[in-house]
Amino acid sequence: MSCGNPHDTDCREVLDKVYAYLDGELTESDVAGIRVHLDECSPCLQEYDLDKAVKALVHKHCGCDPVPADLRSKVLARIAQVRSELAD
């Protein structure tokens, strides 16, 4: 995905890191770059808002259930695969 405008951080790079951003797993430098990008890029901000809503919904309905250790990595791998297919 790209909005067509030049940014210091590429749209694809931001969207690849959005879940890590939401989970607080990025360095301060990465967080700052993503914040700047989201302030400048409406399509990425919309995607971020959607991912944030999905994460909140999953947390609300599944937050108390134990999750298998490898589930997160499988879900993220599948998301990356689908994004790659959509980008082609």
Side-chain angles (χ1 to χ4, degrees):
M1 170 193 211
S2 176
C3 66
N5 296 323
H7 301 284
D8 289 340
T9 308
D10 183 67
C11 292
R12 182 174 298 233
E13 183 180 343
V14 168
L15 295 178
D16 285 346
K17 294 180 178 180
V18 76
Y19 278 101
Y21 175 80
L22 285 167
D23 292 339
E25 298 174 346
L26 298 177
T27 65
E28 288 182 34
S29 175
D30 284 339
V31 167
I34 289 175
R35 283 184 183 154
V36 167
H37 185 95
L38 294 175
D39 286 344
E40 298 173 345
C41 185
S42 178
C44 286
L45 180 60
Q46 290 175 348
E47 181 70 25
Y48 163 79
D49 287 341
L50 175 63
D51 291 348
K52 184 177 177 182
V54 168
K55 183 173 172 60
L57 183 64
V58 169
H59 178 73
K60 179 180 178 183
H61 294 285
C62 304
C64 299
D65 298 334
V67 178
D70 65 335
L71 179 60
R72 183 174 192 270
S73 62
K74 287 180 182 178
V75 169
L76 290 175
R78 180 66 179 134
I79 289 170
Q81 179 186 2
V82 169
R83 280 191 178 151
S84 175
E85 291 170 1
L86 291 173
D88 293 338

